[in-house]
Amino acid sequence: MNYIDLFAGAGGLSEGFKRAGYSPVAHVEIDVAASYSLRTRAAYYYLKESDRLNHYHSYLKGDITRKDLYSLMPQEILDSVINLGIGDENNQKIFSLIDKNLQGNNEIDLIVGGPPCQAYSLVGRARSEHGMKKDSRNFLYVQYANYLEKYKPKMFVFENVLGLKSAGGGVYLQNMEKLFYKKGYSIHIFSVKAENFGVLQKRRRLIIIGWRKDFIPNLPDLDNYKSGLTANVSSLFADLPAIQAGEGKDKFLNYTANKNEYLEAAHIRNEITTLTQHIARPHALQDKEIYRIAVDKWNNDKERLNYNDLPDRLKTHENRSSFFDRFKVVAADLEASQTVVAHIAKDGHYYIHPDELQNRSISVREAARLQSFPDDFYFEGVKEGANRTAAFKQIGNAVPCLLGQQIAVEIKDLL
């Protein structure tokens, strides 16, 4: 079964479908860094399937360059990652590139992906002067529908934020449903919780599953899905070396313990022996003092830090009437962390490591694990080498791999 991934990001949703046995025809993504991540992941799968994974391991160790890695791949696989923005100005070119990959032999079974969510999110609307009403991203679902009309997949999976239900007073979702129906598709809208799919993170998302009107699928109940895979957040950090703010290595670091039951069941640690991107951002001394207070408050009193309770000398933000929890610990003893969002690329205040001795925000690898990305997934930047900010952004924008995988498995029989 094949699929096209639109607005692919770094490929979290795609990773889930690939694991479930689907075959990607193309990934379409506007961000340059994320497109490199998709190509590197394609290299992983190509080398794994051709029994040459040792070359990928060499890349993770820093023994070969990204250019060297890509030279081992067929050009058509590299070209299947299409680094263009979806829209009227690029669609014909994207269509031709996808058609080239299809070679006229196969129909498309599935289209997956969801447009950027900022225009629909409650936070995005709160921060926007016009409540995101003038944001062109409000209408990217129209472009999505153009791809449904062009390739007529049997089904599609559209992921977005819960705020889509209320955006524009609900009119965007209503118009979306009408447009998809006009293109030949009925839809069902699910509100899912990532932790029900084994992800150790509270993440609420809208999943729209659409199907061609020439068949009626027996859809899974994603609203009430339970994978049965649970653990405390401490399971995600147990085998990682302790590092301080500003420390860590982009490539070739060693684990400090064997993988535990959760890391194995969630496919976070598999055959890989090289730890990458366990890099922590540096912090100002004042922030580190606040982090210590926040960690101490949680570990000893099980209370979250309220910004207004800090000593006056540590309060530098003028806004004292909202965002009281802007400094928040990723609590090790809970079964799910707070939601990982793209803002983590700007600062780590909302993602403080629970170990007071490390006194830092979480590393790139720790954030990736919260999103259930496997450790052999490497997040690229535009330039080769350590790209902490680009990696954080891709991770925060991603769909958790475990969520994607379980959805893929559930609809597999329908296809």
Side-chain angles (χ1 to χ4, degrees):
M1 290 170 292
N2 62 29
Y3 68 97
I4 297 169
D5 190 354
L6 303 178
F7 310 100
L13 184 60
S14 185
E15 176 74 10
F17 277 86
K18 182 73 174 150
R19 278 191 208 163
Y22 297 70
S23 179
V25 172
H27 295 87
V28 186
E29 171 54 38
I30 191 173
D31 184 78
V32 177
S35 295
Y36 277 120
S37 296
L38 290 166
R39 292 188 189 102
T40 296
R41 195 61 183 165
Y44 163 80
Y45 276 111
Y46 173 75
L47 293 170
K48 182 179 181 181
E49 289 157 11
S50 58
D51 199 26
R52 293 190 292 157
L53 204 52
N54 59 303
H55 294 298
Y56 187 76
H57 291 167
S58 294
Y59 177 63
L60 296 188
K61 291 177 181 178
D63 293 339
I64 64 174
T65 66
R66 186 164 71 187
K67 184 177 180 181
D68 293 333
L69 178 69
Y70 291 177
S71 72
L72 301 170
M73 297 170 63
Q75 190 61 42
E76 58 265 26
I77 293 181
L78 291 171
D79 291 344
S80 71
V81 177
I82 302 170
N83 180 210
L84 289 170
I86 292 171
D88 294 340
E89 68 279 12
N90 291 327
N91 283 345
Q92 290 306 315
K93 184 174 182 180
I94 295 171
F95 289 159
S96 66
L97 291 169
I98 293 174
D99 292 345
K100 183 180 177 183
N101 287 348
L102 274 173
Q103 298 177 334
N105 295 327
N106 300 301
E107 64 174 331
I108 295 295
D109 294 304
L110 191 72
I111 287 179
V112 305
C117 64
Q118 291 91 336
Y120 304 131
S121 74
L122 297 176
V123 174
R125 278 181 269 158
R127 290 175 175 170
S128 169
E129 181 183 355
H130 304 287
M132 289 297 209
K133 291 179 181 178
K134 297 182 179 181
D135 196 302
S136 61
R137 290 173 295 188
N138 283 321
F139 306 101
L140 283 174
Y141 70 87
V142 177
Q143 299 297 338
Y144 196 100
N146 290 336
Y147 284 74
L148 295 178
E149 183 177 38
K150 165 71 174 173
Y151 291 104
K152 299 178 173 56
K154 297 180 183 72
M155 298 182 74
F156 69 86
V157 177
F158 182 106
E159 181 269 349
N160 221 283
V161 292
L162 284 183
L164 177 55
K165 281 187 172 182
S166 58
V171 71
Y172 293 119
L173 192 54
Q174 293 169 19
N175 290 342
M176 201 177 288
E177 185 168 9
K178 290 175 184 176
L179 180 59
F180 290 156
Y181 192 82
K182 184 178 178 182
K183 301 298 184 183
Y185 292 86
S186 298
I187 67 170
H188 188 87
I189 303 165
F190 296 95
S191 298
V192 304
K193 298 178 179 179
E195 60 266 36
N196 289 348
F197 294 77
V199 182
L200 303 190
Q201 176 197 166
K202 289 183 179 179
R203 196 178 191 90
R204 308 290 183 263
R205 282 298 184 268
L206 214 65
I207 299 292
I208 300 175
I209 293 184
W211 61 92
R212 270 195 330 227
K213 289 183 286 186
D214 55 3
F215 81 104
I216 302 174
N218 182 21
L219 292 177
D221 182 9
L222 298 181
D223 286 328
N224 299 297
Y225 184 86
K226 293 280 188 179
S227 71
L229 181 60
T230 60
N232 284 350
V233 172
S234 59
S235 300
L236 289 174
F237 301 156
D239 62 333
L240 298 176
I243 57 175
Q244 298 297 309
E247 291 184 354
K249 284 187 180 180
D250 180 55
K251 291 186 176 180
F252 206 7
L253 200 60
N254 293 318
Y255 295 98
T256 55
N258 293 327
K259 57 186 173 184
N260 56 45
E261 187 176 331
Y262 175 80
L263 293 175
E264 183 166 18
H267 308 289
I268 288 174
R269 267 189 71 178
N270 34 49
E271 74 275 7
I272 204 74
T273 57
T274 302
L275 174 62
T276 64
Q277 297 189 295
H278 186 40
I279 314 167
R281 57 161 46 91
H283 300 295
L285 290 176
Q286 177 172 304
D287 289 336
K288 291 169 76 172
E289 186 174 352
I290 296 173
Y291 290 3
R292 274 192 290 270
I293 294 171
V295 172
D296 180 72
K297 200 172 187 65
W298 177 261
N299 288 347
N300 294 314
D301 304 324
K302 297 300 175 227
E303 293 180 3
R304 295 295 190 183
L305 174 66
N306 184 312
Y307 186 75
N308 288 330
D309 291 340
L310 285 171
D312 286 340
R313 63 185 176 80
L314 295 177
K315 287 188 282 194
T316 56
H317 292 273
E318 293 182 8
N319 183 358
R320 307 287 174 87
S321 59
S322 60
F323 299 115
F324 301 131
D325 64 344
R326 59 168 58 93
F327 290 90
K328 194 167 186 176
V329 179
V330 178
D333 53 346
L334 297 182
E335 290 189 350
S337 76
Q338 58 269 41
T339 307
V340 179
V341 298
H343 185 81
I344 194 174
K346 296 182 179 179
D347 66 59
H349 302 335
Y350 200 68
Y351 306 97
I352 303 168
H353 193 282
D355 181 4
E356 187 175 349
L357 295 177
Q358 296 188 55
N359 195 212
R360 59 175 175 82
S361 57
I362 60 174
S363 71
V364 170
R365 184 51 58 195
E366 288 160 346
R369 285 183 167 197
L370 285 172
Q371 284 278 56
S372 68
F373 277 97
D375 283 359
D376 54 26
F377 200 111
Y378 188 82
F379 300 91
E380 300 281 3
V382 176
K383 295 181 179 179
E384 185 175 350
N387 290 277
R388 189 185 63 234
T389 300
F392 274 134
K393 180 183 175 184
Q394 292 170 54
I395 292 165
N397 282 328
V399 178
C401 305
L402 279 178
L403 174 60
Q405 182 179 355
Q406 297 302 328
I407 292 172
V409 169
E410 288 295 318
I411 67 174
K412 197 171 184 180
D413 288 342
L414 305 179
L415 288 167

